[in-house]
Amino acid sequence: MSYRFEATNDYFKSETRITILMTFAKQEGVWGHDENRNLFLKLGVVLIVTQFQVFVEKILDEYHYEIKQSNKQNRQLPLYLRLQSLKLLIDQNRIHQSLENPTTYSEKKLNEIKSIVENLHSMCNDDEIIPSSMEIIKKYPLGKQGLTELKQLFRQIEGKDIFENVSFDILKLNEILNRRHNIIHEDSNDQLTEVTVKSYKDFIGKVVKHINKYLDTTLKKL
């Protein structure tokens, strides 16, 4: 099956690596090589999470690019996304801080401020084409838990929790991320099995499809 975003296609192609690791783990178990089996199982969990993190950041990057290339007007963007973009631009440019030191005042400084203000104005003008300076947050940090951070990344588009009414238990994501954290930082196994790793792979696949569908739908609304 082909998806709109390359990030989604790449993610499901990369799932074959998980399958290979599980095949190795199962065979090592048959041979009685428990240490090797556990190693492949732990690698499977770490790889699942890593591939998911790459997917999230890459699909947001694609989404951002498509918006800027859409030739649509600012008014067609979700209001929440426009305001979020303005906030990012204001934070990045730090206008107030750049004017705190009067000794730096000059014609050059004035022109810099003019450029920033004009840039912000272009985002506020309903009739202007979405500017190339339009920004979104794409970085997805991982820790023991990451569900809150994931929700925030997609909340910046329409201001809502896109996982609120899904058919799967999204809280399972924190379980997977915590498992990965324990493997990396404590070398913990916690009776990991092939069945568990497969359930993690299947779950993340559902999350990936949901994100793909949501972003595809929002682009079609523009």
Side-chain angles (χ1 to χ4, degrees), residues 21-61:
L21 287 173
M22 293 307 95
T23 299
F24 287 163
K26 185 176 181 180
Q27 188 60 62
E28 292 295 330
V30 170
W31 290 337
H33 301 161
D34 290 341
E35 187 173 342
N36 289 344
R37 172 177 174 264
N38 289 335
L39 174 61
F40 285 124
L41 291 174
K42 289 188 285 188
L43 286 173
V45 174
V46 173
L47 187 56
I48 288 170
V49 175
T50 300
Q51 289 175 169
F52 180 62
Q53 181 184 34
V54 170
F55 158 77
V56 170
E57 295 181 350
K58 186 174 179 180
I59 198 170
L60 283 170
D61 190 54

Side-chain angles (χ1 to χ4, degrees), residues 4 7 15 33 36 49 59 68 70 73 88 95-96 104-105 107 109 115 131 159 179 188 191 200-201 206 218 222:
R4 171 168 187 163
E15 276 193 331
H33 301 161
N36 289 344
V49 175
I59 198 170
K68 292 193 295 182
S70 65
Q73 294 176 313
L88 290 174
I95 301 177
H96 178 72
T104 65
Y105 289 3
E107 192 70 27
K109 176 67 69 175
S115 178
R179 173 85 77 161
S188 173
Q191 299 180 335
Y200 288 172
K201 178 176 75 70
K206 292 178 183 178
T218 60
L222 292 181

Side-chain angles (χ1 to χ4, degrees), residues 33-206:
H33 301 161
D34 290 341
E35 187 173 342
N36 289 344
R37 172 177 174 264
N38 289 335
L39 174 61
F40 285 124
L41 291 174
K42 289 188 285 188
L43 286 173
V45 174
V46 173
L47 187 56
I48 288 170
V49 175
T50 300
Q51 289 175 169
F52 180 62
Q53 181 184 34
V54 170
F55 158 77
V56 170
E57 295 181 350
K58 186 174 179 180
I59 198 170
L60 283 170
D61 190 54
E62 285 187 69
Y63 178 77
H64 184 213
Y65 177 80
E66 286 205 32
I67 285 178
K68 292 193 295 182
Q69 297 297 314
S70 65
N71 208 36
K72 302 289 185 178
Q73 294 176 313
N74 286 322
R75 69 170 70 251
Q76 294 172 275
L77 282 174
L79 178 60
Y80 198 95
L81 183 57
R82 284 179 70 184
L83 291 172
Q84 172 69 13
S85 179
L86 282 167
K87 179 181 182 301
L88 290 174
L89 291 171
I90 291 170
D91 289 344
Q92 289 171 6
N93 288 293
R94 302 175 179 178
I95 301 177
H96 178 72
Q97 291 182 8
S98 69
L99 292 172
E100 284 183 347
N101 185 1
T103 63
T104 65
Y105 289 3
S106 63
E107 192 70 27
K108 180 181 177 182
K109 176 67 69 175
L110 178 60
N111 289 331
E112 287 176 0
I113 300 301
K114 282 181 180 179
S115 178
I116 294 170
V117 172
E118 287 170 0
N119 197 15
L120 293 173
H121 181 264
S122 68
M123 274 296 298
C124 294
N125 189 329
D126 288 347
D127 298 323
E128 283 200 29
I129 300 298
I130 298 170
S132 60
S133 59
M134 178 263 176
E135 279 292 344
I136 65 171
I137 300 171
K138 291 166 275 190
K139 184 70 174 176
Y140 181 29
L142 293 179
K144 284 188 177 182
Q145 297 185 338
L147 178 56
T148 299
E149 290 77 7
L150 185 68
K151 287 181 177 181
Q152 288 174 344
L153 279 174
F154 294 99
R155 193 186 300 275
Q156 67 182 317
I157 297 172
E158 295 180 306
K160 67 181 184 180
D161 177 4
I162 72 167
F163 302 103
E164 188 173 10
N165 296 308
V166 291
S167 59
F168 48 86
D169 183 9
I170 191 61
L171 292 176
K172 187 177 180 70
L173 180 64
N174 277 339
E175 174 192 333
I176 299 171
L177 297 181
N178 186 56
R179 173 85 77 161
R180 173 256 187 194
H181 178 86
N182 290 339
I183 288 172
I184 291 177
H185 297 282
E186 301 173 19
D187 198 25
S188 173
N189 182 40
D190 294 332
Q191 299 180 335
L192 198 59
T193 67
E194 289 84 355
V195 173
T196 303
V197 177
K198 184 180 183 303
S199 72
Y200 288 172
K201 178 176 75 70
D202 293 344
F203 171 81
I204 294 297
K206 292 178 183 178

Side-chain angles (χ1 to χ4, degrees), residues 63 154-155 157-160 162 209-219 221:
Y63 178 77
F154 294 99
R155 193 186 300 275
I157 297 172
E158 295 180 306
K160 67 181 184 180
I162 72 167
K209 289 178 181 178
H210 178 71
I211 291 172
N212 179 90
K213 183 178 180 180
Y214 172 72
L215 294 182
D216 185 26
T217 299
T218 60
L219 283 177
K221 289 179 182 178

